[in-house]
Amino acid sequence: GPVAVVIVAAGRGERAGQSDGPKQYRSIGGRTVIARTLDAFLAHPDIGPIVVAVHADDEALFRAAALDAGDRVMVVHGGATRQDSTRLGLLALKEKSPGAVLIHDGARPFVDAETIDRVILAIDAGHGAVPALPVSDTLKKEAPDGTVSETVPRAGLHAAQTPQGFPFGPIFAAHQKAFEAGVADFTDDAAIAESAGIPVRIVPGSPDNLKLTWARDIAMADQRLTGSRT
Ligand code: C5P
């Protein structure tokens, strides 16, 4: 059946600065980040219901940005952490009993259909899937005094992207369990799956599938889309 989607967009985007409002609602190449993110899933033939977790203060901004998305998109208010926003999004999908769900950062508008395909193909009843790229920089662990305490071998290490995909029942149960245990600091859903014993397959991500975190990420994305130079 169709694959459901949770898009988490309830962060305050503080690292990108608040002067022009939360980053998801900034325009890049003439369209908001969140509308571009939604477009990628609305246009994909395997995708069914979509839930977007937004900050309560941003609901009007979201509705204005997603005017053309229609009734396939449900809105819920997010939580204090990404993990909690995800859980609230999954809760809203529960009544639809999807077989599988993709969980995606609203701040990754450049996700492409091929990445979505690879994730969907790697999900089954017993496995989740994470798109990821091999780490190319050499990794340094910092000691409290600011010196390098260790060079971490990068062989086998990957940087995780989204969308991450899972069988719906197991990932919902894993989120509920973490919530009830008071654990709230998972930074992605693959980590929650791992903690619950759900094996997660790594599939290739895309170098374009960047998370827009900093003000300069937004500026660079806008330049790339408009072809302008500074
Ligand atoms: O802060 P970070 O860049 O890791 O956020 C990743 C995604 O999680 C963003 O799309 C952000 O809007 C979302 N998020 C959320 N609820 C929070 C914090 C972050 O939906 N409380």
Side-chain angles (χ1 to χ4, degrees), residues 2 39 45 54 88 120 168 179 194 208 210 212 218 221 228:
D39 288 346
V54 306
L88 292 164
I120 290 175
F168 183 82
F179 175 64
E194 294 152 34
D208 292 331
L210 301 173
L212 306 185
I218 308 256
S228 68

Side-chain angles (χ1 to χ4, degrees), residues 140-168:
K140 305 295 180 188
K141 188 157 190 178
E142 188 181 359
D145 70 356
T147 63
V148 174
S149 70
E150 192 190 343
T151 295
V152 181
R154 72 181 177 213
L157 290 185
H158 289 73
Q161 302 182 342
T162 72
Q164 300 180 0
F166 307 93
F168 183 82

Side-chain angles (χ1 to χ4, degrees), residues 8-12 15 23-24 53 79-82 85 105-107 211 213:
V8 285
R12 299 316 284 144
R15 286 168 292 178
K23 62 185 173 180
Q24 291 93 339
T81 61
R82 183 192 186 281
S85 295
D105 292 327
K211 185 168 68 173
T213 302

